[in-house]
Amino acid sequence: MKAFTYERAKSVAEAVKKVASNPDAKFIAGGTNILDLMKIEIETPTHLVDINQLGLDQIEPTADGGLRIGALVTNTDLAADDRVRRDYGLLSRAIVAGASGQLRNKATTAGNLLQRTRCPYFYDTNQPCNKRSPGSGCSAIGGVTRQHAIIGSSESCIATHPSDMAIALRVFDASVETVKPDGRARSIPIADFHKLPGNTPDVETAIERGEFITAVVLPPPIEGKHIYRKVRDRRSYAFALISVGAVIQPDGTGRVALGGVAHKPWRIERADEELKNGAAATTAVLLADARPTEHNEFKIELVKRTLGAVISEARG
C-alpha cells in the first residue's frame, strides 16, 4: 500500500471540496472495498477524506410514503430495519445474501453502490485490464469467463457488477441523491446510475469527480411477493453466478431484475410484462441480446430455471 494522508470531514460541503480539489483524493466510509484495492495498489489515493461523522446514517420516511436511506446507513442496519423488512422485503433479502455479517456491519449504502467489479483479471495487476488501466486490453476476453457478463458487455470489458443490494434497488426504481462539486444537488435514477462498459469501462457510474452521494430514495412500496434468489458456487460469502430479484403480484404481473449477468443491475421493463407468461418468455426478453462465451453460456438456462423457481414460489 502506498503512503497516504487522512482527515475527517466536518460537513458534506467540506468533504466535497477536499476531494474535488485533489485528483488523488478519495472518500472513505466503511472501507470494505477501497482498502482491499489500496493494498494491491489498484486504488492509489494520496489522501483519504473520512465521511463517517456527517450524520448520514438515518432511514427516514418521505412525503410520498417511501423511504430516504442515508448514504452511511450500514448494510446490517438497512436489512434489519422494520420498515424495510415489512415494505421492501426484496431489499432486505438481497442485502443479507451478500458478503458476510462482519462486512455488512461496516459496508454502507453508498459504498455498496460504488463497489468495483470482482473480475479476477481486474484484481491481477500483472494482467491487462481496461477498467484498471484504460486502453491496455481486456484479459478476460479469451480467458476463463465462468463468472463474467453475458449481456451488455463490449469488446473492451465483460466484467459484472457485484452488488446484490443494487438489484433490489433497480426493481424498486430507486434514485440516488448527490451533491455536486459546485454545491448543486441532483437525483439520479438507479437505472442510469451504473454504466455499461462501451469503450470506457473505467467509467462505472454517473458520478462525477468529487460528487458525493447523500442518500438513496425508495418510492412507495410495491405490493406483491418479494423474492431474491442468488445462485453461487458456494452457499455463503460468494458473488452471484446469477441472481434474480422480483416482486410478483397475485395475478402474475410484477417486476424483475438480474444480477451476475451484466456490468450493471439488469432490468428490461418489457420483460416485466412477460412474467405472467412464465420464465421462458420472460428470459427471452431479458436476455434477447445475450452474447455468452463458451464458459458462461450456462447462465442463460440458469436464469430461466431460477426465474421459474421464483415465479413458482410467488404463486405458492
Side-chain angles (χ1 to χ4, degrees):
M1 182 185 291
K2 293 188 175 181
F4 60 90
T5 53
Y6 168 92
E7 68 177 308
R8 289 180 177 174
K10 298 180 179 63
S11 67
V12 171
E14 180 185 31
V16 170
K17 180 179 179 181
K18 294 287 186 181
V19 172
S21 63
N22 182 351
D24 294 319
K26 295 274 188 180
F27 301 116
I28 185 169
T32 58
N33 190 203
I34 191 172
L35 289 177
D36 284 343
L37 295 174
M38 289 172 66
K39 290 174 185 177
I40 54 178
E41 297 187 5
I42 291 176
E43 294 279 5
T44 56
T46 60
H47 188 63
L48 291 179
V49 178
D50 189 323
I51 58 174
N52 282 295
Q53 307 301 314
L54 302 185
L56 302 174
D57 58 353
Q58 301 299 310
I59 303 174
E60 303 167 319
T62 60
D64 64 355
L67 287 178
R68 186 175 188 272
I69 304 161
L72 297 175
V73 173
T74 67
N75 286 180
T76 294
D77 288 345
L78 181 56
D81 185 88
D82 288 341
R83 293 161 295 183
V84 174
R85 294 177 64 188
R86 181 188 66 236
D87 297 330
Y88 303 93
L90 171 59
L91 177 57
S92 183
R93 291 175 173 87
I95 291 171
V96 172
S100 66
Q102 295 92 330
L103 286 172
R104 292 195 297 269
N105 287 342
K106 293 294 294 180
T108 63
T109 298
N112 190 301
L113 289 176
L114 294 172
Q115 65 182 302
R116 306 198 69 186
T117 184
R118 265 50 177 200
C119 171
Y121 297 100
F122 170 74
Y123 273 81
D124 185 350
T125 55
N126 292 312
Q127 300 281 347
C129 173
N130 288 319
K131 186 177 286 293
R132 177 171 20 86
S133 180
S136 63
C138 177
S139 297
I141 296 176
V144 179
T145 55
R146 175 177 170 80
Q147 295 280 350
H148 289 75
I150 60 174
I151 197 164
S153 57
S154 72
E155 298 302 316
S156 297
C157 183
I158 58 172
T160 58
H161 192 269
S163 174
D164 293 287
M165 182 187 80
I167 307 305
L169 295 180
R170 183 65 182 90
V171 171
F172 293 131
D173 284 334
S175 58
V176 182
E177 293 185 343
T178 71
V179 174
K180 299 182 72 172
D182 62 6
R184 289 182 297 158
R186 70 164 170 160
S187 178
I188 307 170
I190 193 69
D192 301 327
F193 185 81
H194 295 103
K195 300 291 187 182
L196 292 178
N199 295 322
T200 56
D202 55 308
V203 181
E204 297 173 338
T205 71
I207 293 290
E208 299 175 5
R209 173 71 199 168
E211 191 168 4
F212 184 88
I213 297 175
T214 55
V216 171
V217 178
L218 295 173
I222 304 170
E223 294 292 332
K225 185 80 170 179
H226 290 226
I227 303 171
Y228 188 74
R229 288 212 176 193
K230 181 177 182 179
V231 183
R232 44 193 163 177
D233 285 328
R234 59 179 186 269
R235 292 191 65 184
S236 66
Y237 199 54
F239 295 98
L241 284 171
I242 68 100
S243 60
V244 175
V247 177
I248 301 178
Q249 281 80 35
D251 64 359
T253 60
R255 299 183 184 182
V256 62
L258 304 179
V261 299
H263 206 256
K264 61 187 293 184
W266 194 255
R267 182 171 174 224
I268 303 295
E269 278 77 357
R270 288 186 295 105
D272 295 346
E273 302 168 9
E274 297 294 335
L275 280 169
K276 61 182 179 295
N277 297 321
T282 309
T283 302
V285 176
L286 281 168
L287 301 180
D289 298 320
R291 297 190 304 166
T293 70
E294 61 177 329
H295 297 139
N296 63 20
E297 190 173 6
F298 71 91
K299 286 190 176 187
I300 296 176
E301 182 67 18
L302 190 57
V303 166
K304 184 171 70 174
R305 293 188 182 194
T306 306
L307 182 54
V310 166
I311 292 172
S312 294
E313 181 179 346
R315 291 173 176 170

